[in-house]
């Protein structure tokens, strides 16, 4: 009678471990995302050199230091795509944010490296960002519902979405000068 109980507990342990391992993964390459988002020929990548005002805004949003000197982005007419990383709990999450007409068109998790919390990669979560804009105080104008057990991943995606909106506005205004 104890043997079946041992087998059941071993099977449960294995299934829980495989769920944890499966939380990590590459879901789409940057090239695939960019091609799909622009639905046309992919424009050449541009480089945004992080200056002092941008550095301060990014660090304000992140609530920690930002040590990159430049960021790559893709721009076509009134659209831009920003692919960035932010730490969830322990590992970076690679996220692509597509901005169109100063609002988020799509947010997508490209690579998830955490052991849990990967629910943030699903459309039911990322669709909340659609049409979100940035307010003067660098907050989203839309409430993003959290996910139990994925709080830090939710925060990471929200921060990256805010940064992408800020940078999109920043490069558009620089182009007008």
């Amino acid at each position: 009678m104890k043997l079946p109980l041992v087998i059941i507990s071993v099977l449960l342990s294995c299934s829980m471990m495989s769920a944890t391992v499966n939380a990590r993964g590459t879901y789409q390459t940057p090239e695939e995302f960019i091609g799909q988002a622009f639905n046309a020929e992919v424009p050449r990548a541009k480089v945004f050199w992080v200056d002092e005002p941008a550095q301060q805004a990014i660090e304000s949003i992140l609530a920690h230091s930002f040590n990159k000197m430049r960021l790559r982005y893709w721009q076509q007419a009134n659209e831009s795509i920003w692919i960035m990383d932010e730490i969830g709990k322990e590992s970076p999450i690679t996220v692509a944010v597509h901005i169109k007409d100063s609002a988020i068109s799509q947010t997508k998790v490209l690579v998830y490296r955490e052991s849990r919390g990967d629910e943030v990669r699903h459309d039911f979560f990322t669709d909340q960002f659609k049409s979100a804009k940035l307010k003067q105080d660098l907050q989203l104008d839309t409430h993003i519902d959290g996910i139990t057990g994925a709080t830090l991943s939710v925060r990471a995606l929200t921060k990256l979405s805010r940064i992408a909106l800020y940078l999109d506005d920043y490069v558009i205004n620089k182009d007008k000068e």
Side-chain angles (χ1 to χ4, degrees), residues 5 97 116:
L5 202 54
V97 183
R116 62 189 99 190

Side-chain angles (χ1 to χ4, degrees), residues 73-154:
Y73 70 101
W74 294 260
Q75 185 178 21
Q76 187 172 314
N78 60 341
E79 301 178 62
S80 68
I81 293 176
W82 300 85
I83 297 177
M84 299 174 284
D85 293 326
E86 175 60 347
I87 302 290
K89 182 175 183 180
E90 298 168 343
S91 301
I93 303 167
T94 303
V95 177
V97 183
H98 178 198
I99 311 290
K100 186 173 185 178
D101 296 324
S102 301
I104 294 176
S105 176
Q106 183 180 14
T107 298
K108 175 134 181 138
V109 174
L110 301 181
V111 183
Y112 194 81
R113 298 172 186 89
E114 298 283 359
S115 60
R116 62 189 99 190
D118 71 322
E119 296 88 353
V120 297
R121 72 182 172 92
H122 294 291
D123 290 343
F124 78 83
F125 176 74
T126 58
D127 282 351
Q128 295 181 86
F129 291 95
K130 285 184 179 173
S131 302
K133 293 184 176 190
L134 198 62
K135 299 188 298 186
Q136 287 292 101
D137 63 356
L138 301 179
Q139 296 294 324
L140 295 178
D141 67 350
T142 304
H143 173 74
I144 303 299
D145 287 331
I147 298 174
T148 303
T151 303
L152 298 176
S153 297
V154 169

Side-chain angles (χ1 to χ4, degrees), residues 46-62 66-86 95-104 132-136 138-140 157-177:
K46 294 184 177 187
V47 176
F48 175 78
W49 290 92
V50 180
D51 59 13
E52 187 62 31
Q55 175 103 15
Q56 289 177 357
I58 292 169
E59 288 181 351
S60 169
I61 292 169
L62 291 174
F66 182 76
N67 299 320
K68 293 188 179 182
M69 294 174 48
R70 62 185 180 266
L71 294 167
R72 285 185 354 156
Y73 70 101
W74 294 260
Q75 185 178 21
Q76 187 172 314
N78 60 341
E79 301 178 62
S80 68
I81 293 176
W82 300 85
I83 297 177
M84 299 174 284
D85 293 326
E86 175 60 347
V95 177
V97 183
H98 178 198
I99 311 290
K100 186 173 185 178
D101 296 324
S102 301
I104 294 176
K133 293 184 176 190
L134 198 62
K135 299 188 298 186
Q136 287 292 101
L138 301 179
Q139 296 294 324
L140 295 178
L157 265 70
T158 303
K159 289 176 181 182
L160 291 176
S161 295
R162 291 168 55 201
I163 291 169
L165 284 164
Y166 171 81
L167 293 172
D168 176 76
D169 182 62
Y170 199 83
V171 298
I172 287 172
N173 287 330
K174 275 224 184 244
D175 287 347
K176 291 178 183 176
E177 292 177 355

Side-chain angles (χ1 to χ4, degrees), residues 15-33:
S15 70
M16 290 191 321
M17 281 190 274
S18 77
T20 298
V21 170
N22 288 337
R24 301 171 192 212
T26 300
Y27 304 108
Q28 190 171 30
T29 67
E31 296 77 17
E32 290 169 339
F33 179 85

